[in-house]
Amino acid sequence: MMSVLLSLSLSRLGLWTSGLILVLGFVKLIHLLMRRRLMIKAMESFPAPPSHWLYGHAFEMNQTESLDKVVSWAHQFPYAHQLWFGGFLGCLNIYEPDYAKAVFSRGDPKAPDMYDYFLEWIGKGLLVLHGPKWFQHRKMLTPGFHYEVLKPYVTVFADSTRHMLDKWEEKAREEKSFDVFRDVGHMALDTLMKCTFGKGHSGLGHRDNSYYLAVKELTMLMQQRLQSMQYHNDFIYWLTPHGRRFLRACKVAHDHTDQVIRERKAALQDEKEQEKIQKQRHLDFLDILLQAQDEDGVKLSDTDLRAEVDTFMFEGHDTTTSGISWFLYCMAQYPEHQHRCREEICEILGDRDTIQWDDLGKMTYLTLCIKESLRLYPPVPQVYRQLSKPVNFVDGRSLPEGSLVSLHIYALHRNSAVWPNPEVFDPLRFSSENVTGRHPFAFMPFSAGPRNCIGQQFAMNEMKVVTALCLHRFEFAPDPMRPPIKLLQLVLGSKNGINLYLKPLGPRSGK
Ligand code: HEM
């Protein structure tokens, strides 16, 4: 009798559950359809490239040629066009300076549809915060990028680079091309760990090494998730082996950061230890974050501290890896510019084989080449906003509050109305005469406006130190059999790496 009752109530429960799932699914569908209607209405004055009714432009956007596809759409549709990631998520894709200014000179929030994927790892740090809390954090963290803080990092950059170049010396002896992207990635993460925690991968304890591996894994898993539509829904994703692997790596990263924060805080209680920190060779980001307070003396909570550390680790290593690797590719492609940069570096360094802070300001031609490679190969090719109020564009068209906007930095940098012969590598575009009069929103590798990259000076310094040391030690040539295949991952990557031939230039010098 009991078992009959139990099976009856179980089957009733099953029915209720299925009913509830059906109702919830129906409500969700209605919500999506209404959202789609609103999006179509909002963007009705903008054209849309041909798209699939269910997938939208997702196929085109997931292919390796997606970046150049958008450049070809930009020729067809000046200023902007609709872009659909599936049937229910559409945004206005823009690539024209006045359009970029209309949105990016304001502080609209990041689009949650795109940025919420990052939350599990980086929490609510600067990248995803908005409103007064973002403003408060930005103000508190800005001193961390003051040049007095950045100065000592030059030695950190140079040490990590030397380590990588010594390995390249051995690889180059095999006289085969190899992928520089991967090694630059190790070096950039090592550097960032040193600048954030005071300790890098070289000379790590077991705990730090697990952290290093976890960050690498998280970066890779997040890239795969963004490219795979079946992983986009949170509920489904956390049930998959991929999602669980992501959660495990998150735990390792978070535990490490929490532990380092606890240890630092405990050390700060001790006066002697405080004195030691004051006399320290340099402050790392964590020191700065622990000291940061707003005008009322309020400090960051432990959750906020962790989110900011994780945000720096996320934003700060893959971006510079991409910037440095594509720069080396440009140098290999254009030997005349490579030669000119090397001459400049040799003149600055003389007999030295390392770089000092004062050298950075003298690297004029190298800086022009770095900017030109950031134009052609922007490490962050696309960013998104959700409008907090309507926007009116210069040509009279407008978008209502709530609309999603994608700024396609890659297509903006190849917009022929702004950049004559956009595909040509010409560093003199950035000479002071040529920059005068250019639209301030024409070149946006670090975005622009109030939500621009807080780490841009750090990144430019790192790129200068690393690339100068690379060019000082090696000559770079392309591998015509393995040209890079551009791929929009979290950053601008290459499907098959960036394979270059390296020729050592003599004992640790660029002669
Ligand atoms: C070549 C290297 C880099 C490039 C190209 C780059 C590019 C960008 C871009 C385009 C944004 C805007 C993102 C958006 O609107 O969604 C951004 C924001 C940000 N970047 Fe960078 N970045 C680089 C390096 C760094 C480094 C080294 C750090 C930290 C150490 C960093 C920290 C941040 C943070 C915290 C934000 C969010 C700022 C805010 O919203 O207030 N970035 N970056």
Side-chain angles (χ1 to χ4, degrees):
M1 183 67 179
M2 273 302 279
S3 62
V4 175
L5 278 178
L6 191 67
S7 73
L8 261 178
S9 51
L10 277 179
S11 65
R12 226 176 257 156
L13 188 71
L15 269 177
W16 273 103
T17 315
S18 326
L20 190 68
I21 291 174
L22 267 177
V23 171
L24 286 178
F26 186 68
V27 171
K28 179 81 186 166
L29 186 68
I30 300 283
H31 170 79
L32 286 174
L33 285 170
M34 280 169 56
R35 193 171 174 216
R36 178 183 154 84
R37 250 186 56 188
L38 283 176
M39 284 177 172
I40 292 176
K41 173 108 189 68
M43 296 193 285
E44 65 189 355
S45 53
F46 295 93
S51 67
H52 186 275
W53 68 273
L54 181 60
Y55 302 117
H57 302 107
F59 283 138
E60 283 96 334
M61 296 313 286
N62 268 343
Q63 282 166 3
T64 43
E65 309 89 44
S66 78
L67 290 162
D68 292 307
K69 182 89 208 168
V70 174
V71 174
S72 75
W73 282 338
H75 282 135
Q76 255 177 291
F77 311 110
Y79 303 109
H81 65 76
Q82 295 181 26
L83 186 62
W84 288 86
F85 301 94
F88 302 112
L89 183 61
C91 62
L92 186 71
N93 191 35
I94 63 174
Y95 29 74
E96 196 277 333
D98 276 320
Y99 263 60
K101 185 176 170 199
V103 178
F104 283 75
S105 57
R106 332 187 307 185
D108 295 78
K110 305 290 166 78
D113 288 292
M114 307 298 174
Y115 290 79
D116 278 4
Y117 293 123
F118 305 147
L119 286 180
E120 192 64 35
W121 173 15
I122 65 172
K124 294 210 164 174
L126 266 193
L127 182 71
V128 284
L129 278 174
H130 64 92
K133 190 158 179 193
W134 166 79
F135 187 72
Q136 182 206 29
H137 278 215
R138 179 92 187 195
K139 229 170 132 190
M140 286 163 90
L141 302 193
T142 298
F145 294 90
H146 188 274
Y147 81 94
E148 280 298 342
V149 177
L150 298 183
K151 245 178 170 178
Y153 293 158
V154 169
T155 322
V156 179
F157 301 149
D159 285 347
S160 297
T161 310
R162 209 166 302 118
H163 206 70
M164 175 179 80
L165 298 183
D166 289 343
K167 277 203 231 146
W168 281 2
E169 217 51 78
E170 283 167 34
K171 285 193 184 179
R173 256 181 243 133
E174 292 174 23
E175 296 186 0
K176 285 189 202 143
S177 72
F178 62 88
D179 176 21
V180 295
F181 210 107
R182 185 192 292 254
D183 292 338
V184 172
H186 290 306
M187 183 276 303
L189 183 50
D190 179 47
T191 305
L192 197 59
M193 280 181 71
K194 286 180 188 152
C195 296
T196 308
F197 303 113
K199 273 192 276 186
H201 180 236
S202 31
L204 286 185
H206 168 70
R207 196 185 70 199
D208 309 279
N209 193 41
S210 317
Y211 176 75
Y212 173 86
L213 296 176
V215 170
K216 285 185 77 64
E217 180 158 33
L218 284 169
T219 311
M220 187 266 294
L221 292 173
M222 194 119 91
Q223 264 158 20
Q224 290 175 351
R225 180 175 185 196
L226 287 177
Q227 277 154 17
S228 321
M229 272 177 88
Q230 74 272 23
Y231 290 153
H232 284 188
N233 180 284
D234 265 351
F235 181 73
I236 297 172
Y237 183 61
W238 302 130
L239 294 175
T240 64
H242 198 278
R244 289 203 298 274
R245 216 172 124 194
F246 188 89
L247 290 178
R248 277 196 300 275
C250 264
K251 183 162 176 355
V252 174
H254 292 160
D255 286 352
H256 173 271
T257 311
D258 288 344
Q259 172 118 8
V260 181
I261 292 172
R262 266 197 307 274
E263 286 169 5
R264 284 287 173 93
K265 279 193 158 177
L268 283 174
Q269 303 294 324
D270 183 344
E271 267 181 40
K272 271 199 197 137
E273 195 59 34
Q274 271 195 34
E275 268 175 39
K276 218 166 87 191
I277 292 171
Q278 308 262 309
K279 286 188 201 141
Q280 222 165 259
R281 203 163 36 98
H282 64 83
L283 296 175
D284 53 45
F285 277 134
L286 193 52
D287 294 320
I288 307 272
L289 292 174
L290 285 165
Q291 284 173 8
Q293 49 185 335
D294 67 11
E295 35 308 322
D296 304 323
V298 177
K299 295 194 157 218
L300 293 170
S301 70
D302 282 358
T303 317
D304 288 344
L305 276 170
R306 181 169 96 185
E308 294 305 352
V309 167
D310 290 339
T311 298
F312 282 177
M313 292 305 299
F314 166 67
E315 270 291 309
H317 85 279
D318 236 19
T319 44
T320 47
T321 301
S322 165
I324 293 164
S325 305
W326 285 103
F327 171 85
L328 293 176
Y329 172 69
C330 290
M331 290 294 97
Q333 287 285 100
Y334 309 105
E336 66 283 16
H337 297 296
Q338 179 178 168
H339 182 68
R340 229 177 125 176
C341 285
R342 186 171 298 111
E343 274 188 346
E344 180 182 81
I345 296 155
C346 289
E347 199 168 304
I348 296 169
L349 295 191
D351 293 335
R352 285 182 285 134
D353 67 353
T354 193
I355 290 178
Q356 295 159 359
W357 173 259
D358 292 340
D359 298 330
L360 300 188
K362 298 177 196 156
M363 297 176 176
T364 322
Y365 200 70
L366 180 78
T367 308
L368 299 186
C369 289
I370 292 178
K371 288 187 177 164
E372 180 63 345
S373 87
L374 288 174
R375 179 185 72 81
L376 279 170
Y377 303 100
V380 181
Q382 203 172 3
V383 292
Y384 302 88
R385 295 290 184 270
Q386 178 148 33
L387 299 184
S388 56
K389 52 183 190 232
V391 65
N392 295 313
F393 294 112
V394 278
D395 57 358
R397 290 184 286 183
S398 61
L399 272 184
E401 178 189 337
S403 309
L404 298 186
V405 175
S406 134
L407 170 66
H408 207 279
I409 299 176
Y410 183 90
L412 171 75
H413 287 180
R414 288 172 190 244
N415 183 336
S416 53
V418 186
W419 306 97
N421 303 318
E423 303 297 326
V424 174
F425 184 86
D426 176 10
L428 292 180
R429 294 178 201 272
F430 292 96
S431 67
S432 35
E433 313 85 83
N434 290 336
V435 165
T436 315
R438 183 171 299 140
H439 198 297
F441 287 74
F443 179 60
M444 298 178 62
F446 297 103
S447 187
R451 296 304 296 260
N452 68 355
C453 174
I454 197 172
Q456 58 182 292
Q457 206 45 55
F458 177 100
M460 281 304 287
N461 294 349
E462 179 174 351
M463 282 192 286
K464 284 188 201 175
V465 174
V466 177
T467 55
L469 289 174
C470 288
L471 294 176
H472 194 240
R473 287 264 292 267
F474 295 97
E475 193 174 292
F476 293 83
D479 180 348
M481 304 307 289
R482 290 194 289 174
I485 302 169
K486 278 172 275 177
L487 186 63
L488 174 53
Q489 299 172 312
L490 285 175
V491 294
L492 178 61
S494 164
K495 197 179 174 190
N496 54 344
I498 293 189
N499 295 286
L500 304 177
Y501 285 101
L502 270 66
K503 188 170 136 207
L505 287 167
R508 294 176 150 255
S509 84
K511 281 156 222 145

